[in-house]
């Protein structure tokens, strides 16, 4: 009897053998695929580094913008659509990510490059995925001190982000300082307004400054400021304020009393800034330059203060090649003068003049001639004796006291400094970035308006300079720079407020 073979059984056996072979070959195939993908990626990277890889963007897909207007995001990532190569696309994606993060309305931003449609080779789709802020309201509060001015202040702010969906940020701030400055302000910032490429800012503020201790007047200003252009290097703003100067003490000098009353401040301010230093708190290489130009009196009103003001600040840091030592040089200057009918005999408004002094670090602060170590706030320059008030107790005792003086500021200011910073030998101090420095600085403040420039000779200008030198310890942090310095006054004038000794300083580059 002949047995017939079962074809189904044979097929089943063949399938089992084939499955076993697939199971054996599967890991081999996956490893080979990984090797192939790695080789392709390495080849692609080599090609990118050696030649231009052409690629164009087919579409930009935006996700996650539940509240934010799509037009705002499209405007910030516009550069993606003009990329013509992989290298340009990667660079544009990095810039777009940074610009979206800078809006400060998203918790996270992801830019993904995907392949384009299969029927369009050499194209890519860009997926921009954003996560809007879960909490649109933020706030902070802090207490700040200026030991050189013996003043304290409490500052707080509240922000409301993206309320209208245009990247708008509404904020209100309050600053209250004991014995000096208080400010209440509110404003809005729009990254794009209508067809303007640059952000626009508007702010309403009420400012009160107490300068009775230094110049016998209080200043109150209520105004509106508009930020017209704001980029990394350029800034253009317009300010319109109603300003009032008063003297509650009734002891102001003659020059200060002439300035009391109301005036209108209407000025346009342009700032150009470039900072190539490796650090604003401890620069060891690079340079920085700031130029600020102002013209006041644009509003057609007889109470409008008319002046032209120009100032500059130049810094350079030179590394010395040992102990992280660096030599910082700086020179700053400014001039202000009135314009209009009779400008030669017209004084510059008191708050718009230059004032020197204070212990803010000249290395850290950048913006114009202000700081001169060893001299107190508003502690040098032209001054006048205050009006004397007869006191019965003094008359009976017969004491003869020297009258206090009001510092009036100047129209031409120049400051310069040299600072040598270096690491200290202790490792625990180096690890904490605590280092030492030695410095020397000089400055001059003179009056030019009301025909005073006619009496200013080269010798008189040379004699107007004050100077100081010293050394100290610097403790830098992420937010500010603290200094403990010993200052020695090299040269001062009779009525200057200067002191040789140990002084504390807190400075911020912001």
């Amino acid at each position: 009897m002949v047995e017939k073979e079962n074809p189904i059984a044979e097929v089943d056996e063949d399938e089992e053998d084939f499955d076993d072979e697939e199971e054996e070959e599967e890991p081999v195939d996956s490893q080979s695929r990984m090797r192939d993908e790695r080789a392709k990626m390495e080849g692609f990277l080599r090609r990118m580094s050696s030649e231009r890889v052409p690629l164009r963007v087919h579409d930009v897909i935006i996700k996650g913008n539940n509240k934010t207007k799509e037009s705002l995001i499209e405007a910030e990532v516009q550069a993606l659509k003009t990329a013509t190569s992989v290298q340009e696309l990667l660079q544009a994606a990095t810039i777009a990510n940074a610009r979206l993060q800078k809006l400060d309305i998203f918790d996270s931003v992801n830019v993904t490059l995907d392949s384009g449609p299969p029927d369009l080779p050499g194209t890519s789709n860009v997926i921009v995925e954003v996560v809007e802020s879960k909490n649109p309201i933020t706030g902070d509060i802090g207490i700040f001190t200026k030991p050189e001015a013996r003043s304290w202040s409490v500052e707080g702010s509240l922000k409301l982000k993206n309320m209208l969906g245009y990247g708008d940020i509404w904020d209100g701030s309050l600053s209250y300082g004991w014995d000096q400055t208080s400010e209440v302000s509110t404003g809005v910032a729009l990254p794009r307004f209508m067809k303007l490429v640059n952000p626009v800012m508007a702010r309403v503020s009420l400012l009160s400054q107490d300068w009775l201790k230094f110049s016998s007047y209080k200043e109150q200003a209520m105004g509106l400021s508009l930020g017209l252009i704001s980029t990394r290097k350029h800034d253009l703003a317009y300010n319109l304020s109603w300003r009032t100067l008063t003297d509650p003490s009734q002891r102001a000098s003659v020059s200060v009393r002439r300035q009391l009353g109301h005036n209108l401040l209407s000025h346009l301010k342009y700032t150009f800034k470039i900072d190539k230093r490796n650090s604003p708190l401890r620069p060891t290489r690079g340079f920085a330059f700031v130029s600020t130009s102002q013209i006041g009196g644009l509003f057609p009103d007889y109470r409008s203060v008319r002046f032209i003001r120009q100032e500059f600040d130049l810094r350079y840091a030179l590394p010395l090649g040992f102990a992280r030592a660096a030599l910082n040089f700086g020179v700053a200057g400014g001039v202000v003068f009135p314009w209009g009918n009779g400008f030669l005999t017209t004084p510059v408004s008191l708050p718009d003049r230059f004032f020197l002094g204070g212990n803010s670090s000249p290395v850290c602060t950048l913006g114009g001639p202000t700081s001169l170590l060893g001299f107190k706030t508003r502690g040098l320059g032209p001054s006048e004796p205050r009006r004397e008030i007869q006191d019965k107790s003094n008359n009976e005792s017969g004491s003869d006291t020297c009258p206090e003086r009001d510092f009036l500021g100047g129209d031409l200011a120049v400051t310069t400094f040299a600072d040598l910073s270096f690491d200290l030998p202790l490792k625990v101090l180096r690890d904490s970035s605590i280092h030492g420095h030695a410095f020397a600085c000089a400055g001059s403040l003179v009056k030019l308006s009301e025909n005073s420039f006619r009496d200013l000779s080269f010798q008189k200008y040379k004699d107007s300079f004050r100077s100081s030198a010293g050394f100290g310890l610097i403790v830098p942090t992420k937010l500010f720079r603290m200094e403990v310095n010993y200052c020695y006054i090299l040269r001062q004038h009779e009525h200057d407020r200067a002191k040789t000794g140990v002084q504390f300083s807190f400075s911020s580059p912001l």
Side-chain angles (χ1 to χ4, degrees), residues 160-171:
L160 176 60
K161 302 178 182 179
N162 208 21
M163 184 175 68
L164 303 178
Y166 292 97
D168 46 295
I169 296 181
W170 303 76
D171 74 285

Side-chain angles (χ1 to χ4, degrees), residues 282-342:
R282 187 187 178 183
T284 56
R285 66 173 61 89
F287 71 96
F289 176 76
V290 174
S291 173
T292 304
S293 306
Q294 294 184 61
I295 178 169
L298 302 179
F299 195 85
D301 190 279
Y302 72 95
R303 290 164 296 188
S304 185
V305 181
R306 294 180 174 88
F307 67 92
I308 297 175
R309 176 177 169 132
Q310 175 64 47
E311 53 190 310
F312 75 92
D313 201 340
L314 176 64
R315 309 291 175 85
Y316 186 77
L318 178 67
L320 300 182
F322 62 91
R324 289 192 63 200
L327 189 58
N328 279 268
F329 299 97
V331 57
V335 61
V336 58
F337 52 88
W339 66 272
N341 295 329

